[in-house]
Amino acid sequence: MKADAKPLKKLLPGTDRYVVPLYQRPYVWVHDANDPEKDRLGPYWTDVKETTDAYLERSRLVAQAGGDESRVAPMTPHFFGAVVIDQPIKEGEVTTQEVIDGQQRLTTTLLFLAAVTRMCEARGMPKHASRLRRLWQQDEDLELTGLARFKLSPTRQDQGAFLAVMEGNATTVGTKSNVMDAYTYFVGQLDEWAGDIPEGQDEAYFDALRDTLYEHLMIVDIRLEDGDNAQGIFESLNAQGEKLLAMDLVKNEVFRRAKRAGTGIDLDALDRDIWSPRFSDPWWRASVRQGRYVRPRAELFLMHWLIDQKGSDISATALYIEFQSIARKEMDEPSAVKTFLDRFIADADRYKSLDALAEGTAERRFFDRLAVVDTAVVYPLVLRLWRWADNGDISRVDLRTALAALESYLIRRFVVVPNAGKNYNNLVVGILKAIGTASQPVKEPILKLIGYLSESDDKTRIWPSDETFAAQLSTQKFYQAYSRRRDEFLLRVIEERLRKSSAKIEQGSVPTGLTIEHVIPQSWEEHWPLPDAGDEESNAQAHRMRRERIHRLGNLSLVTGSLNPALGKDPWAAKKAQLLQFSTLQLNADLITNPNYATTFNDSSIDERGERLTALLVHEWPGPDTF
């Protein structure tokens, strides 16, 4: 960035024109005499008036010194704050620059200049009015119309009121507007100021006001250069304001390129009818968790979309810069702009639809289970597959096959491989490259995807086999190996499969609010003693094996939260009776009705039951040889 303090004559020269990007909020400065914290226009006017008074006083001292300015201290300019301006774009004879920050101050300044100009006209100071007008209006010779006639174009919500004020038609503003209120406030203050000028000194006072505005009100002009992150700069300068999303800057980039391409697209209609109805929905700005990210949905969508489009990983903190690199390539021709816009909007709609999939569908189940795995890195891949299915490049059967393969891969790996998610970014990028581009799949892309998942025996990529998956489920300390959420999830899946195993079993969703119950309790010594093995070493070995098995899958079930404490450390007969009376879960029906557990449930029972429950999970998530 380059920063330079400039008076208004240099900030608003010749044919320069400033445009407030669409992502910025409307004009909000107001005058509130009863609330100094809200009052922004009062201090603005006070600064102008006091600087003008200082100019008048210095002029008086110079006159006393016989016109020798060297004998009087130089005029101290008043610093009016800062503006951050993006790089200029030449549009015909006018140079357009976007206001990244400071639009409230800049808008206020042009409203004030218009009010001063008209006061000069009304009070017989046409030369002053003519000179001041050059600061806020383009030369008539340029034959510009509408907002293009003026050196600022505010955001869309304010354009009607701003245009009416600047054209001198303020009375035509039919609805309440902060723009109109600010202009009216300045008209009133200036009228009062002019009425208080001592008799015979009009010329001196109007000279002072004109010269103050031209020369002595300084604004720090900060200019962005190549590589500067406009989003990061705006957020740093507005840390206490509403967060600026990368999507807000994307909107501005899209509209700017559409305008520059001269596509004939009605930008107002595009904003009013297509863009704003979608992205002004609070759904997009709501922060949600996806894997390790907690970010607004608009940011998450943009991140996933960019990875899909580029086929490579990107920085989550540089989304706007990454989007610009794509826009430069794909919106360079007028004919490509609409195609690009249609694709982007369609993908946004597609992404939002994933949050409203029908309950009970394979697609909805995939995303519910993805949340348990706690990884979001597959979203770019899923977004691409969904686009292909919607466009007819792959079938819905192909889509569901791909989702089933991804689900199996992710579930099996979180069971078998510690910290399985560490290399998933590279995995997804590899798959994206293997199956084609964002718009064009290779031949048989689903087979390519499955092949990519199953081809490696590298531990960082391996898709666990049935044998490996089953061994890990049935022999590890299940209750201690995973989070409670994942333990409960796997047990719920078993419950769902047991319910589907017979048409005689009443179907329905598994209840919520369940907790994990150890069949043989964790403190088992009193009510679940081991038989005497005959010698101390054998008894010690039996105790070690009991402690090893106590947290295995075969010893776990689900019960309601209220039933869990009641079961406690009860012996098997009492616990079985409680489950028979109060539990409707098939996990517990299996315990109650299984003849092998009629009188006892012991270490061998844990092993046998564990193998059966494990088989259900192996069938739920088929291995790589099945696809």
Side-chain angles (χ1 to χ4, degrees), residues 100 108 119 140 153 231 301 359 380 415-416 563 571 584:
I100 302 303
T108 301
M119 179 195 67
E140 295 290 344
S153 179
Q231 179 188 5
F301 160 67
E359 292 280 357
V415 169
V416 173
L563 184 56
T584 60

Side-chain angles (χ1 to χ4, degrees), residues 4-18 44 47-48 51-52 77-83 85 97 102 104-117 131-137 151-152 186 208-221 223:
D4 188 16
K6 294 180 179 179
L8 293 184
K9 70 176 183 180
K10 291 187 177 180
L11 188 72
L12 301 165
T15 56
D16 277 18
R17 180 169 179 265
Y18 297 96
Y44 184 100
D47 288 343
V48 174
T51 307
T52 303
H78 178 79
F79 282 90
F80 238 20
V83 293
I85 308 298
Q97 299 151 101
Q104 302 287 331
R105 187 172 303 281
L106 205 52
T107 303
T108 301
T109 298
L110 264 75
L111 293 172
F112 182 75
L113 289 171
V116 172
T117 301
R131 191 171 177 209
L132 287 167
R133 190 182 300 277
R134 295 174 199 160
L135 291 176
W136 56 273
Q137 183 172 312
K151 295 193 177 181
L152 177 75
F186 288 137
L209 180 58
R210 177 200 62 203
D211 292 350
T212 294
L213 292 172
Y214 253 83
E215 303 276 357
H216 302 299
L217 296 178
M218 308 291 284
I219 292 180
V220 179
D221 181 9
R223 299 276 164 161

Side-chain angles (χ1 to χ4, degrees), residues 296-312:
R297 288 191 179 97
E299 305 280 84
L300 293 169
F301 160 67
L302 190 56
M303 178 176 66
H304 301 321
W305 187 83
L306 288 167
I307 293 172
D308 162 46
Q309 296 296 305
K310 293 173 72 74
S312 62

Side-chain angles (χ1 to χ4, degrees), residues 50-103:
E50 289 181 352
T51 307
T52 303
D53 289 344
Y55 183 93
L56 285 164
E57 177 61 17
R58 185 177 184 278
S59 298
R60 185 183 65 79
L61 293 175
V62 169
Q64 288 180 351
D68 186 355
E69 294 202 15
S70 66
R71 294 173 58 188
V72 180
M75 178 71 183
T76 302
H78 178 79
F79 282 90
F80 238 20
V83 293
V84 180
I85 308 298
D86 207 346
Q87 298 180 68
I89 301 170
K90 190 73 173 175
E91 296 180 334
E93 296 184 67
V94 176
T95 301
T96 300
Q97 299 151 101
E98 288 191 346
V99 184
I100 302 303
D101 191 63
Q103 66 109 335

Side-chain angles (χ1 to χ4, degrees), residues 198-325:
E199 188 175 350
Q201 295 189 37
D202 284 9
E203 191 82 23
Y205 271 72
F206 277 85
D207 283 352
L209 180 58
R210 177 200 62 203
D211 292 350
T212 294
L213 292 172
Y214 253 83
E215 303 276 357
H216 302 299
L217 296 178
M218 308 291 284
I219 292 180
V220 179
D221 181 9
I222 303 171
R223 299 276 164 161
L224 301 191
E225 298 180 289
D226 287 339
D228 286 338
N229 186 340
Q231 179 188 5
I233 292 166
F234 183 91
E235 290 180 350
S236 298
L237 293 170
N238 294 274
Q240 303 305 315
E242 182 179 0
K243 179 177 174 60
L244 177 72
L245 302 185
M247 186 65 84
D248 298 323
L249 288 169
V250 162
K251 174 184 179 180
N252 193 60
E253 181 75 8
V254 166
F255 279 59
R256 181 171 63 178
R257 289 188 176 275
K259 179 181 178 181
R260 191 184 305 171
T263 58
I265 294 175
D266 185 336
L267 298 183
D268 283 337
L270 175 62
D271 184 28
R272 181 183 63 249
D273 301 333
I274 298 176
W275 193 283
S276 288
R278 284 171 172 79
F279 296 113
S280 62
D281 187 334
W283 186 89
W284 287 102
R285 301 190 85 90
S287 291
V288 294
R289 179 180 179 84
Q290 276 187 9
R292 59 192 174 96
Y293 294 108
V294 179
R295 304 188 72 174
R297 288 191 179 97
E299 305 280 84
L300 293 169
F301 160 67
L302 190 56
M303 178 176 66
H304 301 321
W305 187 83
L306 288 167
I307 293 172
D308 162 46
Q309 296 296 305
K310 293 173 72 74
S312 62
D313 204 7
I314 64 168
S315 169
T317 60
L319 300 180
Y320 175 56
I321 293 173
E322 295 282 3
F323 181 87
Q324 278 185 308
S325 70

Side-chain angles (χ1 to χ4, degrees), residues 364-402:
R364 173 61 179 268
R365 187 167 59 247
F366 171 80
F367 286 103
D368 289 344
R369 293 177 172 184
L370 196 65
V372 177
V373 178
D374 202 23
T375 182
V377 296
V378 298
Y379 266 87
L381 173 57
V382 171
L383 187 61
R384 179 180 291 188
L385 293 171
W386 229 278
R387 182 190 309 117
W388 287 351
D390 288 345
N391 294 341
D393 296 317
I394 61 174
S395 69
R396 290 289 162 182
V397 173
D398 287 337
L399 174 62
R400 285 190 283 272
T401 299

